[in-house]
Amino acid sequence: MYTTTEFQQLLEDKLRRKRGKEIKEADDKDVYEAVASIVQDSITEDWLETRQRYEKRNERQIYYISMEFLIGRLMESNLMNCGLLDVCSDALRQLGRDPESVYNQEHDAGLGNGGLGRLAACFLDSMASLKYAGHGSGIRYRYGLFEQRIIHGNQVELPDYWLKEAYAWETRKANESLKIYFGGEVHSHARADGSLEFTYKHADEVLAVPYDVPIVGYRNNVVNTLRLWSAELPEHEAEIPGDSESRYYHHLDHMHSVEQISGFLYPDDSSLEGRELRLKQQYFLVSSTIQNILREYKANGGSIRELHKKTAIQINDTHPSLAVPELMRLLMDEERLSWEEAWKITTAVLAYTNHTTLSEALEKWPVDLVQQLLPRIFMIINEINERFCRGLWFDHPDMRLDIPHLAIIADDQVHMARLAIVGSHSVNGVAHLHTEILKKREMNRFYRLYPEKFNNKTNGITHRRWLLQVNRGLADVVTEAIGPQWISQPQKLSGLVRYSNDAAFLEAAGQVKQENKKVLAELIQKRTGIHVNENSIFDVQIKRLHEYKRQLLNIFHIIHLYNELKDNPSLDLTPRTFIFGAKAAPGYYMAKEIIKLVHHVASIVNEDPVIGDRLKVVFLENYNVSLAEKIIPAADLSEQISTASKEASGTGNMKMMMNGALTIGTLDGANIEIKDLVGPSNIFIFGLSSEEVHRYYAEGGYNAKDLYHTDERIRRILDQLHGGEFGSQEIEFKDLFYHILYHNDPYFVLKDFDSYVVTQELVEQAYRDPRHWQKMSVANTAYSGKFSSDRTIHEYASDIWKLTPVRS
Ligand code: 26V
């Protein structure tokens, strides 16, 4: 590789040639671009070779289709994966530059809402690092997830124009563009051989232009590709017609609507509004991806009848489930296969992952909309549905009554999850409990029909980014103790178990945490002006704002502690800093009220001299991947407090565990698997179980108002909200009060309150024994190896994709 001096020279040379500047005159942006260009140079050859190797060896390939890839920044991970991070940082320092402020020049690629999109990004990293021939396919949104500003406690959304400055990692491949058609009419004609040919009239044509982003494997010379599609006007339409006014305006309209397709990411991950544009985005992604897959496959000499032997496609939630009819369309209409042949191939190629059981988030599209926007696709969905229902009727007479609940088209809607299940050979949930709930409840009818399709793939996170890169201090202490094998075999982190009584090791790991907390405290001071006690418990809840995630329970606990201190100012409370990061969907009123409440509670608690630095409440604006990277290494306590059964898996829980935070959580999602690994003494579990929650929903028996009347602490908190104690004349939280009491507290915030408070007291006590806490913390890191996405990807590869790593 390079020496520091060589890298310095390279950098200075780049600056001169690319920017016409000497290092002295260059600003951080110039330096950032020069470094990025050096990295690109060192990737390019491997990128080409990786592609050629896959072609030459005719490797089986997996395509991960997702509407979201939340990649964050790539500079540090790319440098790290090519083995250049240290030399680059050293070179920068020797040139008098601060590496961090150079790397910070990169705008986060925020092309995702939360867990689902970040999971896709971790999967790409693992596929490349494990040498799987795996690629991502997504949309190059011009605007990523909105930037959040808080004004007087209210969330305000600003557009995230992340492409304002050229994106260093992408390459436009205009010559590989494809055509996508919307609307119009479908005409069929019999060919000489009796087969049907379908042609489209008056359809709108859109050009899909690919932009490739390299996905660099960890020090293995593999560079895979994330292909992001951008919607453009076809060249022959670029000229504005001047012959008639109406044509002119129609054209402008069309130009405008084409640009919108890859215009922005929908910021709502909780409820579906059946927006036409969202459906267009989905078809645009799916059609580009599948056309592209077939083109590459055929270019490599593959016979279309053997597509399933060389290709696997994973659909990330139902968003890309139009892949089912689109692959059918291409196989039949373009490749002239029969329905039966096409169906066999389609179901053999496709696999579907479910990420939520929340009924509000289940995708259904009105039949009229699908028919009008995608007439040929609708015909195919109809045929799939008819054949499927007919099969049910004749082959499963015992399930005839279930047909309305299984039919892909029912009550004038296309049910996308049903389409995905019927059209795939594999359906997986993302944590053990979640998969069981799918099988036993949400998808039980389908499970009875196709038990062999259902399987679990517990989520994971890339330990390279989420430990090695973001917490170098801890990574070094770990490597010093157990050697570096954990980097390629994260399960080896379990070697740390032996160190849980090693005073020197505990001390070193504890010091790293303290140092990370100091860094975060400085960031908090700089961004919010709040001074926090570095010796307090850093109690962290970072995730999208949702009622089911119960940020409200967290705030109620804070208010409760505040009340206790006000009643008894000399109370001996372990100091805590509550740290929040959360974006609310722009139209989600209750979520925005909760953000406002956090801010108002913060302004009262933080200013109260009686409280001092025993309690601080911090809300960090604009939570995103880069901010997560700064918070997670400093967390002591990880809040994973969703209503049991509602959080499919969670992945923030895994990131914090890996960084030595202890979890306070419900028996939900992957928390259960964390508990099974670390044991009940290294985690704080509380609250209703998923069965109990389910029983209350099914049979009733819970009355929130009773709790209001019987638990004084609860009544006091709710009355404070109602009475405006955490507001002012104009600001009050009456809606939250009524929402909870008059909708019978649908997420069991009040029901779990007592158990939560009691468990938080155990946390307090535990924290008072630093040595014991540190031991628990080390146990968490030690058992976190299972949650590397490397394990998850190996499971997908062997069980679903039937893929083996590429030999070098
Ligand atoms: C749903 C919708 C529906 C309406 C339109 C926009 C939109 C965008 C995204 C979603 C996805 C919601 C599902 C989701 O993000 N699930 C999360 O997936 C994580 C990875 O598997 C998992 O850890 C979380 O528990 C789960 O909530």
Side-chain angles (χ1 to χ4, degrees):
M1 271 307 180
Y2 303 109
T3 64
T4 313
T5 324
E6 284 166 350
F7 198 93
Q8 271 184 34
Q9 276 163 2
L10 211 58
L11 185 62
E12 288 178 296
D13 204 45
K14 271 279 181 215
L15 272 170
R16 266 185 231 114
R17 282 190 295 119
K18 283 223 145 190
R19 305 248 116 195
K21 286 187 186 174
E22 297 293 345
I23 183 92
K24 298 187 294 294
E25 322 163 72
D27 60 15
D28 282 340
K29 192 130 272 151
D30 297 320
V31 179
Y32 170 82
E33 275 162 27
V35 176
S37 169
I38 294 172
V39 177
Q40 280 283 13
D41 291 347
S42 91
I43 290 172
T44 310
E45 209 164 300
D46 285 342
W47 202 0
L48 183 71
E49 270 171 22
T50 302
R51 198 167 56 232
Q52 287 171 343
R53 198 181 319 150
Y54 294 165
E55 277 168 22
K56 240 192 345 260
R57 301 211 190 141
N58 200 11
E59 291 287 349
R60 186 170 163 83
Q61 320 248 341
I62 146 80
Y63 297 86
Y64 196 85
I65 314 188
S66 177
M67 290 284 282
E68 309 192 5
F69 287 92
L70 226 190
I71 32 204
R73 294 188 179 130
L74 283 179
M75 177 65 97
E76 266 177 282
S77 61
N78 283 348
L79 280 166
M80 181 176 85
N81 293 357
C82 319
L84 290 174
L85 183 56
D86 287 345
V87 77
C88 174
S89 298
D90 288 346
L92 287 170
R93 274 187 288 264
Q94 284 184 19
L95 289 164
R97 318 294 301 218
D98 171 23
E100 202 178 312
S101 64
V102 171
Y103 306 150
N104 284 350
Q105 294 305 310
E106 181 167 348
H107 198 113
D108 267 43
L111 309 183
N113 272 288
L116 166 140
R118 181 56 231 176
L119 185 75
C122 285
F123 280 4
L124 295 179
D125 182 89
S126 284
M127 288 192 289
S129 295
L130 298 174
K131 301 193 176 179
Y132 285 113
H135 314 282
S137 190
I139 295 179
R140 180 180 179 269
Y141 301 106
R142 258 192 319 289
Y143 295 90
L145 185 63
F146 66 84
E147 185 184 321
Q148 177 192 55
R149 290 276 171 83
I150 304 290
I151 298 180
H152 303 308
N154 294 305
Q155 168 176 297
V156 174
E157 301 91 23
L158 301 179
D160 167 51
Y161 191 29
W162 70 295
L163 293 170
K164 193 160 49 204
E165 262 136 325
Y167 185 51
W169 306 113
E170 68 180 8
T171 311
R172 180 181 162 97
K173 297 274 175 74
N175 57 341
E176 295 183 40
S177 300
L178 291 163
K179 292 171 184 161
I180 317 293
Y181 294 95
F182 292 98
E185 306 131 30
V186 182
H187 296 264
S188 57
H189 326 263
R191 296 194 188 94
D193 63 0
S195 66
L196 284 181
E197 178 179 359
F198 292 90
T199 52
Y200 309 123
K201 271 209 187 118
H202 310 301
D204 289 328
E205 184 183 316
V206 173
L207 200 64
V209 182
Y211 285 73
D212 287 352
V213 178
I215 305 296
V216 183
Y218 184 76
R219 301 190 191 172
N220 64 1
N221 302 102
V222 170
V223 181
N224 286 340
T225 301
L226 167 60
R227 180 158 268 203
L228 298 174
W229 297 91
S230 175
E232 294 184 9
L233 200 66
E235 221 167 87
H236 59 87
E237 294 185 35
E239 223 164 277
I240 301 175
D243 49 349
S244 90
E245 199 178 2
S246 78
R247 276 197 2 107
Y248 173 77
Y249 283 111
H250 176 86
H251 190 84
L252 282 190
D253 240 18
H254 179 55
M255 261 170 71
H256 183 66
S257 75
V258 167
E259 282 169 6
Q260 281 193 352
I261 295 176
S262 49
F264 72 96
L265 165 77
Y266 273 85
D268 194 331
D269 64 348
S270 51
S271 64
L272 174 85
E273 272 182 85
R275 295 291 176 117
E276 177 177 10
L277 179 56
R278 168 96 179 159
L279 185 62
K280 271 193 178 173
Q281 290 185 331
Q282 295 185 347
Y283 182 69
F284 172 77
L285 168 62
V286 155
S287 185
S288 327
T289 309
I290 302 208
Q291 287 190 54
N292 186 55
I293 292 172
L294 294 186
R295 176 175 62 187
E296 281 182 9
Y297 175 75
K298 290 197 291 183
N300 214 18
S303 136
I304 203 70
R305 289 193 162 73
E306 313 228 293
L307 180 72
H308 54 294
K309 297 197 175 146
K310 292 290 168 194
T311 313
I313 299 177
Q314 192 70 35
I315 56 184
N316 199 21
D317 216 292
T318 55
H319 320 152
S321 53
L322 290 172
V324 176
E326 177 65 2
L327 183 50
M328 287 296 285
R329 181 184 75 84
L330 292 165
L331 293 177
M332 295 187 302
D333 298 1
E334 305 290 323
E335 305 296 333
R336 305 238 202 151
L337 299 191
S338 68
W339 181 279
E340 289 74 18
E341 289 170 307
W343 186 248
K344 195 183 106 217
I345 295 171
T346 298
T347 51
V349 165
L350 293 174
Y352 153 59
T353 305
N354 173 284
H355 293 268
T356 181
T357 54
L358 296 185
S359 54
E360 317 86 90
L362 283 187
E363 289 196 298
K364 291 173 228 143
W365 293 104
V367 160
D368 291 346
L369 178 62
V370 180
Q371 186 162 24
Q372 181 215 99
L373 188 69
L374 307 166
R376 177 65 185 136
I377 288 296
F378 182 72
M379 293 166 74
I380 295 171
I381 295 175
N382 228 339
E383 181 76 25
I384 295 173
N385 183 47
E386 297 223 336
R387 287 176 186 244
F388 171 61
C389 292
R390 221 180 298 141
L392 285 172
W393 183 268
F394 290 110
D395 304 336
H396 300 270
D398 56 313
M399 294 191 83
R400 285 182 184 170
L401 287 177
D402 294 315
I403 292 180
H405 305 278
L406 290 164
I408 294 164
I409 300 177
D411 31 86
D412 285 329
Q413 295 190 302
V414 182
H415 293 246
M416 304 310 269
R418 300 178 190 174
L419 177 63
I421 298 170
V422 174
S424 304
H425 67 281
S426 164
V427 177
N428 76 280
V430 290
H432 178 75
L433 175 70
H434 171 59
T435 303
E436 289 306 306
I437 290 174
L438 292 178
K439 294 198 292 195
K440 293 206 180 92
R441 298 212 284 268
E442 305 302 323
M443 298 183 167
N444 177 257
R445 291 186 179 90
F446 279 105
Y447 177 59
R448 281 174 7 226
L449 191 60
Y450 306 124
E452 71 291 347
K453 289 193 187 187
F454 285 76
N455 64 93
N456 176 247
K457 294 287 166 283
T458 297
N459 283 165
I461 56 169
T462 162
H463 63 288
R464 286 168 291 275
R465 177 179 291 253
W466 294 106
L467 177 53
L468 190 56
Q469 180 191 320
V470 307
N471 197 347
R472 258 307 267 282
L474 183 59
D476 287 347
V477 169
V478 169
T479 301
E480 180 121 334
I482 62 170
Q485 291 91 340
W486 65 273
I487 298 170
S488 55
Q489 293 158 270
Q491 306 264 18
K492 291 240 156 103
L493 283 170
S494 63
L496 290 174
V497 171
R498 287 192 289 117
Y499 287 81
S500 58
N501 280 315
D502 182 321
F505 179 81
L506 294 178
E507 171 71 21
Q511 255 174 28
V512 168
K513 181 64 80 181
Q514 209 50 46
E515 179 56 31
N516 294 339
K517 287 170 74 173
K518 183 162 178 249
V519 173
L520 181 60
E522 280 159 13
L523 180 144
I524 291 172
Q525 173 85 54
K526 204 164 109 207
R527 296 204 184 168
T528 67
I530 301 170
H531 175 79
V532 306
N533 175 355
E534 285 164 25
N535 296 313
S536 63
I537 306 174
F538 277 22
D539 178 332
V540 175
Q541 189 171 22
I542 43 176
K543 49 184 81 249
R544 283 299 286 262
L545 215 139
H546 267 290
E547 288 165 275
Y548 84 80
K549 294 179 189 279
R550 300 202 294 192
Q551 280 93 351
L552 202 52
L553 180 57
N554 190 342
I555 301 161
F556 282 7
H557 173 237
I558 298 172
I559 298 176
H560 166 68
L561 292 178
Y562 171 75
N563 288 339
E564 291 225 293
L565 278 173
K566 293 297 274 190
D567 290 351
N568 178 5
S570 60
L571 189 75
D572 183 19
L573 199 85
T574 315
R576 279 208 212 211
T577 302
F578 294 91
I579 298 164
F580 290 88
K583 286 179 179 174
Y588 191 167
Y589 175 73
M590 277 304 154
K592 290 185 149 180
E593 285 292 290
I594 294 169
I595 290 183
K596 195 164 80 183
L597 179 62
V598 174
H599 281 89
H600 286 269
V601 170
S603 67
I604 287 180
V605 170
N606 296 346
E607 301 293 302
D608 195 321
V610 172
I611 306 298
D613 70 357
R614 287 181 293 178
L615 294 181
K616 289 282 181 231
V617 181
V618 175
F619 186 100
L620 287 169
E621 210 171 56
N622 200 36
Y623 177 60
N624 61 9
V625 174
S626 290
L627 187 55
E629 291 174 359
K630 302 199 168 75
I631 299 173
I632 289 169
D636 291 313
L637 188 66
S638 159
E639 297 272 353
Q640 308 299 337
I641 60 179
S642 53
T643 310
S645 78
K646 298 284 177 191
E647 189 69 271
S649 160
T651 43
N653 48 359
M654 302 169 182
K655 292 168 197 160
M656 284 197 267
M657 173 203 194
M658 194 173 270
N659 281 273
L662 305 198
T663 301
I664 180 164
T666 47
L667 286 175
D668 200 13
N671 298 351
I672 298 176
E673 290 161 70
I674 295 179
K675 188 206 104 193
D676 289 345
L677 284 163
V678 300
S681 58
N682 290 314
I683 190 167
F684 299 95
I685 296 292
F686 74 97
L688 294 173
S689 69
S690 109
E691 290 80 24
E692 288 167 326
V693 167
H694 184 238
R695 208 170 312 126
Y696 280 126
Y697 283 137
E699 297 165 14
Y702 169 50
N703 189 341
K705 281 189 191 145
D706 288 349
L707 276 177
Y708 173 76
H709 290 297
T710 52
D711 188 324
E712 272 171 43
R713 302 164 302 177
I714 289 178
R715 189 170 56 246
R716 182 167 174 189
I717 294 165
L718 284 173
D719 287 348
Q720 285 170 311
L721 297 191
H722 189 266
E725 191 161 325
F726 296 107
S728 56
Q729 252 148 13
E730 312 89 79
I731 297 153
E732 53 178 14
F733 296 99
K734 284 200 172 54
D735 288 344
L736 277 174
F737 175 92
Y738 290 115
H739 187 70
I740 291 225
L741 288 181
Y742 292 82
H743 291 94
N744 200 31
D745 183 21
Y747 296 101
F748 301 96
V749 173
L750 306 186
K751 182 76 188 162
D752 275 347
F753 178 77
D754 179 65
S755 164
Y756 185 55
V757 169
V758 168
T759 309
Q760 286 285 19
E761 281 164 9
L762 299 179
V763 170
E764 276 211 5
Q765 285 155 21
Y767 196 77
R768 286 169 184 242
D769 180 351
R771 168 88 191 242
H772 180 60
W773 184 275
Q774 198 47 51
K775 250 174 96 157
M776 295 195 290
S777 165
V778 167
N780 273 268
T781 304
Y783 290 111
S784 67
K786 163 177 172 179
F787 299 110
S788 166
S789 44
D790 287 5
R791 188 264 315 147
T792 315
I793 285 300
H794 276 312
E795 291 177 3
Y796 274 91
S798 78
D799 301 349
I800 304 177
W801 304 333
K802 309 294 177 207
L803 203 67
T804 47
V806 176
R807 284 160 291 111
S808 340

